[in-house]
Amino acid sequence: MCRVLIASPVETDRAFLKQIFAEHFFNVTFLEDALSAEEAYKRSLDNRLDMLILDISGSSDEIFQYKTNIVKQYPNIKVILLDKKANFKHIQTAIRCAAIDYIVKPLDEDECKSAIHRAILALNQVSLLHYERKSITNTVKESANQMMQYVHEYFNEEINLETLARFMHLNKSYVSRFFKETVGMTFSSYLRHYRIEQAKKLLRTSELTITEVAEEVGYPDLTYFSRIFKKETNYTPNEFKQIFQGEHIPADFAFVEGE
């Protein structure tokens, strides 16, 4: 589940962004909208955040300080900044604080989709932006979210369509068809993608051995894990670990420590 907070005084911008989420992204929950960076900070005190979309139009140092305080609480948060016009100082700050994107208004749908897509991937989740699916209602989407939450909670266990069907109290064939039509990929594909994303995260950020990583993400057979990982990433797990370990710096971390 990706917990998102949109902080902007402009109601039409907030509605525009939520519509993009509703049409193109799954497994997202919103905190109550904030009208300012200060409100966003207050929301963050009682609620964990994964993604912050913050309007910095006409911003002062105070706004950036509130954002910095949020990042100190959640070093892995992904931040997208909105601005009413291009501002070199703001762009420079966005780069220094490792924001996912800096978007100048008026908001463009494709630009916003791309930024959100990259933020979700940076959280080691599956975006689904580029997977075709049928038009769905909110009720159907809620059922799909429930199924994906099942994957997120039990991905490191021995789960499959049968266990998912039992969890949902539904027929296995129906669940298989529903998942593919609604999410845009099969259940097994989603499970595999999610497991590999979690493996990539562990390989980058932990000291676990390859065998331990494989077990942590639900692949007790190391040979099978290595084959799947290579197919998904074009790297063996060992190659990935050697190249990318320690590369990931949590959003804003270096900038925050320098404040």
Side-chain angles (χ1 to χ4, degrees), residues 68-107:
T68 297
N69 290 339
I70 293 172
V71 172
K72 285 180 178 178
Q73 292 184 81
Y74 308 106
N76 291 309
I77 193 172
K78 306 309 170 189
V79 180
I80 298 171
L81 301 177
L82 312 179
D83 212 344
K84 65 179 179 181
K85 61 180 180 180
N87 180 304
F88 178 76
K89 182 178 179 181
H90 293 176
I91 295 172
Q92 187 179 48
T93 302
I95 293 172
R96 289 179 63 197
C97 72
I100 288 290
D101 212 335
Y102 172 89
I103 299 175
V104 178
K105 302 185 199 181
L107 299 180

Side-chain angles (χ1 to χ4, degrees), residues 38-56:
E38 181 180 6
E39 280 190 26
Y41 172 65
K42 290 178 180 178
R43 299 263 194 283
S44 74
L45 295 177
D46 300 315
N47 301 275
R48 183 172 70 81
L49 297 181
D50 298 306
M51 187 188 309
L52 171 65
I53 302 179
L54 176 64
D55 192 331
I56 59 170

Side-chain angles (χ1 to χ4, degrees), residues 162-199:
E162 289 186 2
T163 60
L164 175 62
R166 286 198 298 269
F167 172 77
M168 296 296 295
H169 304 290
L170 294 169
N171 176 271
K172 176 183 172 182
S173 297
Y174 172 80
V175 169
S176 177
R177 185 174 64 255
F178 175 90
F179 200 98
K180 176 66 170 66
E181 292 177 349
T182 307
V183 175
M185 67 170 71
T186 64
F187 170 79
S188 60
S189 293
Y190 186 85
L191 174 61
R192 183 176 67 253
H193 286 342
Y194 190 78
R195 281 174 166 170
I196 294 303
E197 285 303 316
Q198 301 315 302

Side-chain angles (χ1 to χ4, degrees), residues 3-255:
R3 296 169 176 82
V4 179
L5 174 59
I6 300 176
S8 171
V10 184
E11 183 178 358
T12 54
D13 287 345
R14 300 197 307 270
F16 180 80
L17 290 165
K18 285 187 175 180
Q19 186 62 34
I20 289 175
F21 275 102
E23 292 180 0
H24 302 285
F25 298 97
F26 275 83
N27 210 34
V28 172
T29 185
F30 292 99
L31 274 66
E32 181 183 353
D33 291 349
L35 303 184
S36 66
E38 181 180 6
E39 280 190 26
Y41 172 65
K42 290 178 180 178
R43 299 263 194 283
S44 74
L45 295 177
D46 300 315
N47 301 275
R48 183 172 70 81
L49 297 181
D50 298 306
M51 187 188 309
L52 171 65
I53 302 179
L54 176 64
D55 192 331
I56 59 170
S57 299
S59 68
S60 63
D61 291 339
E62 185 179 33
I63 290 181
F64 281 109
Q65 186 58 54
Y66 280 123
K67 183 187 71 65
T68 297
N69 290 339
I70 293 172
V71 172
K72 285 180 178 178
Q73 292 184 81
Y74 308 106
N76 291 309
I77 193 172
K78 306 309 170 189
V79 180
I80 298 171
L81 301 177
L82 312 179
D83 212 344
K84 65 179 179 181
K85 61 180 180 180
N87 180 304
F88 178 76
K89 182 178 179 181
H90 293 176
I91 295 172
Q92 187 179 48
T93 302
I95 293 172
R96 289 179 63 197
C97 72
I100 288 290
D101 212 335
Y102 172 89
I103 299 175
V104 178
K105 302 185 199 181
L107 299 180
D108 175 79
E109 181 176 359
D110 288 338
E111 190 175 7
C112 290
K113 284 194 298 185
S114 176
I116 294 168
H117 169 71
R118 286 185 287 108
I120 291 174
L121 292 181
L123 289 165
N124 292 103
Q125 297 197 28
V126 182
S127 167
L128 299 174
L129 175 63
H130 302 303
Y131 289 87
E132 293 186 8
R133 65 184 70 88
K134 67 178 184 180
S135 179
I136 58 176
T137 65
N138 287 336
T139 301
V140 170
K141 190 171 185 178
E142 180 57 35
S143 294
N145 282 339
Q146 200 174 351
M147 292 182 185
M148 286 187 284
Q149 275 300 101
Y150 175 82
V151 173
H152 296 182
E153 186 169 353
Y154 299 107
F155 73 94
N156 57 349
E157 300 181 15
E158 190 175 340
I159 61 174
N160 51 42
L161 265 175
E162 289 186 2
T163 60
L164 175 62
R166 286 198 298 269
F167 172 77
M168 296 296 295
H169 304 290
L170 294 169
N171 176 271
K172 176 183 172 182
S173 297
Y174 172 80
V175 169
S176 177
R177 185 174 64 255
F178 175 90
F179 200 98
K180 176 66 170 66
E181 292 177 349
T182 307
V183 175
M185 67 170 71
T186 64
F187 170 79
S188 60
S189 293
Y190 186 85
L191 174 61
R192 183 176 67 253
H193 286 342
Y194 190 78
R195 281 174 166 170
I196 294 303
E197 285 303 316
Q198 301 315 302
K200 287 160 63 178
K201 180 179 180 180
L202 290 173
L203 290 168
R204 284 201 310 263
T205 62
S206 78
E207 296 298 327
L208 296 176
T209 66
I210 305 299
T211 299
E212 290 170 333
V213 168
E215 293 174 348
E216 283 289 320
V217 301
Y219 289 115
D221 184 331
L222 178 59
T223 301
Y224 181 69
F225 167 68
S226 298
R227 185 166 69 248
I228 293 296
F229 192 93
K230 171 77 171 180
K231 182 178 179 181
E232 292 288 326
T233 68
N234 292 322
Y235 296 99
T236 67
N238 191 54
E239 289 170 342
F240 189 92
K241 186 179 182 70
Q242 289 180 345
I243 296 171
F244 297 107
Q245 187 175 42
E247 180 186 77
H248 175 69
I249 300 174
D252 298 80
F253 186 74
F255 180 63

